[in-house]
């Protein structure tokens, strides 16, 4: 018997020379693409259409194949199809509802594909007709809302969310998507919250719901009042906020796990390459092998929650078992290279592991720790544009956290100690820290470690100036809190001081190259003022008097770097060049550091001469410092503990517009309606009564 092949809506016998036969649904689509009303000759046309399995590929392809003029000729039929889809959403038969949802997806995508600037037709008019648009969209949103909130089929809910994501991301710039005006008027915010607050629906649909919410919040956020922003900012329901936190934590944990797996795989492969004497040609691209697609959509959701909702800050510290240490049976999920992480939800089995009860033997974690680990990975490599965007967004989120009073309270809480295993970039001059040697410390120590790690590892030709500025700002904001609340943090401050001095040395040694692109004096001033914070207020927040002595020792030990900086800024501030004003600010800021160096250096040299010592030990230098504090005169500097609060609209609008455009494109590219296979749906709705 000859095999039957099915391709693009055609049925044909492979061995026969007969004309291919079209599926019935394709014949019905063809009737819609005629100028006549298809229900004239066939009164049950629309009723029958939604019992047929949708051929998405054919329907979208047909719409794309027509030019703007041809499409306008069949506008009435497209309007009719759109309206009948919405009517079908209210049907009792789930198969009709599923087919209507899939048809709407194809229609919206297909018509938008045609809407290039040359077509010159309006999307709303083409899909619904101006006169009926308001009522159509009201009915559509009400139906979707009902389906999402009902206790019915999970597949239907999934398809509703896919349709909404399709609707939102159909244009690159979501703020130019006029259909979203109706999504603003007919809000589905409460339906999204309901999904997030109920564990079963969250496990199934949490990822899509969170991404959808993040995108809706960004619709014309700077131009008009966006109801999703207003509503998100006042959510105070614990179950909902925790639900959102769990979805975000899971997606970030999944990324961290994938990275760790790749890292281990790479290390084992790397060592076998060495033993096989294959040699150094693979070392150069070693880092490339550990590259995992970043998840900007979920990071945007975390940012919006932290930035807009004060109550969400409490979620950051909610403890849950460390994902990855909990062993749960996870069914293998087929993945393809075409679907990068960040566009598809993680497997639901892993999400459930987050919600297991706490176990005494399991290292507890929280969303903030998961986020810090994620940040330590994406901030390692900022050469790639996506990672640069992700790194910037991570630092913006940390900026919002560092400004928040409640967040600072739990960051600095001595009763909340964690081991946070941050990823450290492989570098020749340092050993890899062993995970088990990590101390248990307040979370702020991990934030500071992350900032120090960034400072140390990004002094390179393609200097990420913007990220450095943000990094130093985060440290400054944390110090302001410590000074204000007199928190004496037991932290190895010397590592930070050393990193900052090395950064100053880098700026000076690359002055010509960097000044061609950046105002490095802004960054130099911020670094010098961090030292001024320690000098002026260190006695209020450094853990012990000896820590204050160590600060002076470090400044004296590295005095050459500060002397060189002073020479550089003095040279530029006395010239009439473009850097005069910026350099002179650094000159004034160095006054106390220079006073310390000029006061103690002669005394140290005198001590060495009197005692006939060629090189003093650290303890001997500290002895001189302690003995000569009383005669040191410092100037009081104003505003060291003041900072400008983060503002998105005025400073970051362009960045977020570009980021949302990138996320929208990515989500659209990876929206897979075929993942809801007809077989699964047919099993779920095995009978149509």
């Amino acid at each position: 018997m000859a095999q039957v092949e099915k391709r693009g809506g055609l049925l044909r016998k492979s061995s026969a020379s007969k004309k291919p036969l079209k599926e019935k649904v394709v014949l019905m689509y063809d009737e819609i693409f005629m100028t006549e009303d298809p229900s004239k000759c066939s009164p049950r046309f629309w009723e029958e259409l939604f019992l047929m399995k949708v051929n998405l590929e054919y329907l979208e392809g047909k719409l794309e194949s027509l030019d703007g003029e041809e499409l306008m000729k069949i506008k009435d039929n497209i309007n009719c199809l759109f309206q009948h889809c919405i009517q079908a959403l209210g049907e009792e038969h789930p198969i009709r509802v599923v087919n209507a949802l899939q048809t709407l997806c194809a229609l919206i995508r297909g018509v938008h594909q045609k809407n290039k600037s040359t077509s010159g037709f309006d999307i709303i008019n083409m899909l619904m007709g101006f006169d009926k648009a308001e009522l159509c969209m009201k009915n559509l949103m009400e139906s979707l809302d009902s389906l999402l909130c009902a206790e019915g089929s999970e597949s239907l809910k999934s398809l509703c969310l896919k349709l909404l994501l399709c609707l939102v991301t159909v244009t690159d710039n979501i703020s130019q998507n006029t259909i979203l005006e109706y999504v603003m008027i007919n809000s589905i915010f409460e339906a999204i919250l309901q999904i997030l607050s109920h564990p079963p629906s969250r496990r199934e649909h949490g990822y899509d719901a969170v991404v959808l919410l993040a995108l809706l919040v960004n619709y014309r956020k700077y131009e008009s009042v966006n109801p999703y922003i207003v509503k998100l900012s006042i959510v105070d329901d614990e179950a909902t906020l925790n639900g959102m936190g769990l979805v975000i934590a899971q997606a970030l944990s999944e990324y961290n796990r994938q990275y760790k797996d790749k890292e281990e795989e790479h290390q084992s492969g790397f060592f076998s390459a060495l033993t096989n004497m294959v040699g150094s040609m693979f070392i150069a691209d070693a880092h490339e092998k550990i590259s995992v697609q970043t998840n900007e959509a979920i990071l945007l959701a975390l940012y919006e929650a932290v930035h807009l909702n004060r109550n969400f800050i409490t979620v950051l510290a909610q403890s849950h078992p460390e994902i990855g240490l909990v062993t749960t049976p996870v069914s293998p999920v087929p993945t393809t290279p075409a679907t990068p992480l960040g566009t598809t939800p993680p497997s639901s089995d892993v999400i459930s592991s987050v919600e297991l009860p706490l176990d005494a033997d399991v290292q507890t974690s929280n969303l903030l720790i998961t986020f810090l680990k994620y940040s330590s990975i994406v901030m390692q490599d900022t050469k790639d544009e996506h990672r640069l965007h992700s790194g910037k967004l991570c630092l913006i989120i940390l900026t919002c956290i560092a400004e928040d009073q409640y967040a600072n309270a739990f960051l600095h809480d001595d009763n909340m100690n964690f081991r946070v295993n941050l990823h450290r970039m492989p570098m020749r001059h340092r050993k890899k820290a062993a995970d088990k040697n990590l101390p248990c410390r307040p979370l702020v120590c991990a934030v500071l470690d992350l900032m120090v790690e960034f400072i140390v590892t990004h002094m390179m030709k393609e200097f990420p100036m913007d990220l450095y500025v943000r990094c130093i700002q985060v440290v400054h904001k944390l110090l302001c809190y410590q000074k204000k609340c007199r928190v004496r943090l037991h932290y190895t401050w010397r590592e930070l001081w050393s990193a900052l001095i090395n950064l100053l040395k880098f700026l000076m040694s690359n002055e010509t190259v960097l000044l061609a692109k950046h105002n490095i004096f802004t960054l130099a001033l911020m670094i010098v003022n961090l030292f001024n914070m320690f000098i002026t207020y260190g006695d209020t927040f450094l853990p012990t008097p000896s820590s204050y002595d160590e600060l002076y020792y470090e400044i004296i030990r590295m005095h050459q770097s500060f002397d060189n900086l002073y020479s550089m800024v003095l040279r530029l501030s006395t010239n009439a060049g473009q850097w005069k004003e910026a350099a002179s600010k650094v000159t004034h800021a160095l006054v106390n550091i220079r006073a310390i160096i000029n006061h103690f250096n002669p005394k140290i040299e005198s001590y060495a001469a009197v005692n006939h010592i060629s090189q003093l030990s650290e303890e001997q230098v500290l002895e001189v410092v302690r003995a000569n504090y009383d005669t040191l005169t410092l100037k009081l500097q104003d505003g060291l503990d003041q900072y400008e609060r983060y503002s998105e609209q005025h400073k970051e609008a362009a960045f977020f517009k570009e980021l949302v455009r990138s996320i929208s494109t990515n989500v659209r590219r990876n929206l897979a309606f075929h993942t809801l296979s007809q077989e699964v749906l047919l099993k779920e709705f095995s009978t149509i009564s």
Side-chain angles (χ1 to χ4, degrees):
M1 189 175 162
Q3 278 189 320
V4 176
E5 286 181 15
K6 181 180 163 191
R7 212 175 269 143
L10 304 178
L11 295 171
R12 60 175 179 156
K13 287 187 178 179
S14 56
S15 60
S17 57
K18 291 180 182 176
K19 255 188 164 182
L21 298 169
K22 288 189 175 182
E23 304 173 54
K24 180 156 185 195
V25 74
V26 169
L27 292 168
M28 295 182 87
Y29 291 154
D30 286 345
E31 285 188 57
I32 294 168
F33 285 94
M34 306 288 184
T35 48
E36 288 292 313
D37 177 356
S39 61
K40 261 187 183 174
C41 304
S42 175
R44 292 175 60 81
F45 180 86
W46 300 111
E47 207 175 309
E48 284 179 23
L49 179 68
F50 296 110
L51 290 173
M52 303 284 165
K53 180 180 172 182
V54 177
N55 189 326
L56 280 168
E57 201 181 344
Y58 185 84
L59 187 52
E60 277 189 53
K62 190 80 175 169
L63 284 163
E64 285 174 42
S65 69
L66 303 177
D67 63 33
E69 207 175 298
E70 289 171 322
L71 209 53
M72 279 307 291
K73 285 178 184 170
I74 57 160
K75 182 183 92 68
D76 290 347
N77 282 358
I78 290 173
N79 289 176
C80 215
L81 174 58
F82 198 89
Q83 284 161 33
H84 278 94
C85 283
I86 294 168
Q87 282 172 27
L89 296 182
E91 295 269 358
E92 284 179 24
H93 306 318
I95 287 291
R96 288 185 191 277
V97 179
V98 167
N99 288 334
L101 287 167
Q102 289 188 319
T103 305
L104 281 168
C105 290
L107 258 182
I108 291 163
R109 292 208 305 194
V111 169
H112 267 89
Q113 279 295 101
K114 285 311 303 168
N115 191 31
K116 308 295 179 228
S117 53
T118 51
S119 303
F121 60 77
D122 188 280
I123 292 291
I124 294 172
N125 190 33
M126 182 54 67
L127 286 173
M128 299 165 264
F130 288 129
D131 52 336
K132 302 187 187 77
E134 204 170 315
L135 183 61
C136 265
M137 285 305 295
K138 181 175 180 288
N139 293 338
L140 173 60
M141 296 307 292
E142 281 175 1
S143 294
L144 292 175
D145 188 72
S146 301
L147 290 165
L148 288 171
C149 295
E151 287 186 15
S153 153
E154 295 305 329
S155 296
L156 272 183
K157 288 183 185 179
S158 181
L159 200 47
C160 286
L161 287 166
K162 292 271 193 288
L163 172 59
L164 285 161
L165 282 168
C166 167
L167 196 65
V168 174
T169 63
V170 83
T171 54
D172 288 352
N173 181 350
I174 63 170
S175 294
Q176 289 176 350
N177 185 353
T178 44
I179 292 182
L180 290 190
E181 283 298 330
Y182 300 108
V183 183
M184 295 294 123
I185 297 163
N186 306 286
S187 173
I188 45 145
F189 184 80
E190 284 70 23
I192 293 172
L193 292 202
Q194 188 174 311
I195 287 167
L196 296 175
S197 60
H198 290 84
S201 64
R202 173 169 68 245
R203 282 193 285 271
E204 288 286 335
H205 317 295
Y207 185 91
D208 280 351
V210 163
V211 172
L212 176 63
L213 181 58
L215 288 168
L216 287 171
V217 160
N218 279 277
Y219 174 73
R220 293 190 178 169
K221 57 155 53 166
Y222 308 118
E223 298 142 43
S224 58
V225 177
N226 179 322
Y228 290 84
I229 292 178
V230 177
K231 289 179 178 182
L232 179 58
S233 65
I234 56 173
V235 175
D236 58 0
D237 179 64
E238 204 177 325
T240 305
L241 293 171
N242 285 344
M244 184 184 286
L246 283 167
V247 172
I248 294 168
Q250 165 50 31
L252 297 180
S253 293
E254 179 71 4
Y255 175 92
N256 295 349
R257 184 191 62 73
Q258 284 195 21
Y259 181 87
K260 195 163 182 280
D261 289 350
K262 282 208 175 188
E263 192 176 39
E264 285 167 7
E265 181 189 309
H266 161 256
Q267 280 168 355
S268 60
F270 180 64
F271 288 122
S272 66
L274 281 178
T275 51
N276 290 331
M277 303 298 287
V278 178
S280 62
M281 63 178 142
F282 294 112
I283 295 172
D285 64 311
H287 203 64
E288 291 301 307
K289 292 183 181 178
I290 317 177
S291 177
V292 181
Q293 177 79 33
T294 51
N295 192 336
E296 288 147 325
I298 216 75
L299 210 54
L300 178 68
L302 174 60
Y303 163 74
E304 296 297 358
V306 167
H307 178 232
L308 294 173
N309 191 302
R310 288 291 313 279
N311 303 312
F312 188 80
I313 294 290
T314 60
V315 174
L316 293 172
Q318 286 282 357
S319 290
H320 59 66
E322 181 74 279
I323 304 165
L325 294 180
V326 183
T327 50
T328 47
V330 179
S331 55
V333 180
T335 55
T336 60
T339 312
L341 181 73
T343 52
T344 52
S347 69
S348 56
D349 291 324
V350 189
I351 290 183
S352 59
S353 73
V354 186
E355 300 173 57
L356 291 173
L358 290 179
D359 183 330
D361 300 324
V362 174
Q363 154 86 27
T364 54
S365 184
N366 56 39
L367 174 53
L368 183 61
I369 292 172
T370 306
F371 167 66
L372 290 173
K373 287 182 181 178
Y374 178 89
S375 301
S376 72
I377 297 169
V378 298
M379 282 163 60
Q380 281 182 20
D381 175 19
T382 55
K383 293 189 185 84
D384 166 67
E385 191 187 9
H386 286 290
R387 281 173 174 270
L388 186 67
H389 280 168
S390 286
K392 183 171 176 175
L393 190 47
C394 287
L395 284 166
I396 290 175
I397 293 167
L398 283 169
T399 302
C400 295
I401 292 169
E403 283 184 7
D404 187 273
Q405 191 78 2
Y406 180 80
N408 268 305
F410 73 70
L411 279 175
H412 292 85
D413 190 341
D414 235 349
N415 301 311
M416 285 177 65
N417 292 330
F418 293 89
R419 277 189 190 87
V420 184
N421 180 21
L422 299 174
H423 288 264
R424 285 158 66 88
M425 200 185 280
M427 294 178 85
R428 287 195 194 106
H429 60 273
R430 66 179 184 185
K431 289 179 182 174
K432 195 174 191 302
D435 299 357
K436 59 186 173 207
N437 296 337
L438 287 169
C440 248
R441 303 174 299 169
L443 283 169
V444 69
C445 295
V447 179
L448 288 166
D449 281 351
L450 181 63
M451 299 300 97
V452 169
E453 177 67 11
F454 181 84
I455 293 167
V456 169
T457 55
H458 288 77
M459 296 179 220
M460 54 195 182
K461 195 176 165 187
E462 290 299 318
F463 188 69
M465 176 76 173
D466 179 47
L467 300 194
Y468 266 107
V469 167
R470 291 169 195 280
C471 179
I472 304 298
Q473 283 173 340
V474 169
V475 175
H476 179 234
K477 286 169 185 183
L478 294 172
L479 289 182
C480 289
Y481 175 82
Q482 289 165 28
K483 179 254 171 184
K484 179 184 167 192
C485 299
R486 294 182 173 263
V487 177
R488 295 192 182 277
L489 185 69
H490 288 273
Y491 183 71
T492 47
W493 290 112
R494 193 174 267 192
E495 284 186 14
L496 173 66
W497 300 331
S498 171
L500 292 171
I501 291 167
N502 282 329
L503 179 53
L504 283 175
K505 283 160 77 175
F506 176 82
L507 295 178
M508 287 183 282
S509 59
N510 295 277
E511 176 195 342
T512 314
V513 177
L514 292 174
L515 275 177
K517 294 180 183 176
H518 311 289
N519 176 2
I520 58 172
F521 302 108
T522 309
L523 186 57
L525 180 65
M526 292 170 76
I527 297 165
V528 169
N529 278 337
L530 276 189
F531 279 102
N532 286 330
M533 271 285 283
F534 282 103
I535 294 164
T536 312
Y537 302 118
D539 58 333
T540 66
F541 63 81
L542 285 170
T544 59
S546 63
S547 307
Y548 199 68
D549 302 338
E550 282 172 13
L551 167 68
Y552 277 63
Y553 172 79
E554 204 62 30
I555 291 170
I556 294 158
R557 186 176 75 85
M558 300 301 291
H559 72 89
Q560 194 64 55
S561 298
F562 291 109
D563 291 344
N564 292 344
L565 177 65
Y566 183 73
S567 301
M568 180 179 113
V569 292
L570 192 64
R571 168 169 48 85
L572 287 158
S573 62
T574 50
N575 292 345
Q578 68 176 113
W579 305 117
K580 181 175 174 144
E581 193 182 337
S584 63
K585 284 181 183 174
V586 183
T587 314
H588 298 311
L590 280 164
V591 63
N592 282 342
I593 292 173
R594 285 179 50 72
I596 290 166
I597 293 165
N598 294 335
H599 176 74
F600 287 105
N601 263 358
K603 300 208 167 19
I604 290 164
E605 285 163 15
S606 169
Y607 179 93
V610 168
N611 293 283
H612 307 291
I613 305 167
S614 60
Q615 197 165 0
L616 271 65
S617 68
E618 182 175 335
E619 196 44 56
Q620 287 167 326
V621 172
L622 288 171
E623 195 182 313
V624 176
V625 168
R626 290 186 194 110
N628 290 282
Y629 271 136
D630 294 348
T631 51
L632 173 67
T633 308
L634 296 175
K635 284 189 176 177
L636 189 64
Q637 291 175 306
D638 292 331
L640 292 174
D641 58 342
Q642 305 296 313
Y643 58 81
E644 189 183 345
R645 288 188 69 83
Y646 169 77
S647 165
E648 180 191 319
Q649 183 158 356
H650 302 297
K651 295 196 172 173
E652 312 295 348
F655 167 69
F656 279 101
K657 280 178 183 172
E658 194 52 46
L659 182 75
V660 173
R661 179 187 285 270
S662 166
I663 292 168
S664 175
T665 309
N666 210 20
V667 170
R668 181 175 70 242
R669 191 185 301 128
N670 292 284
L671 262 181
F673 302 107
H674 56 269
T675 52
L676 279 167
S677 72
Q678 205 78 7
E679 287 70 29
V680 174
L681 295 165
L682 287 168
K683 271 183 195 169
E684 197 174 330
F685 317 126
S686 51
T687 56
I688 300 177
S689 52

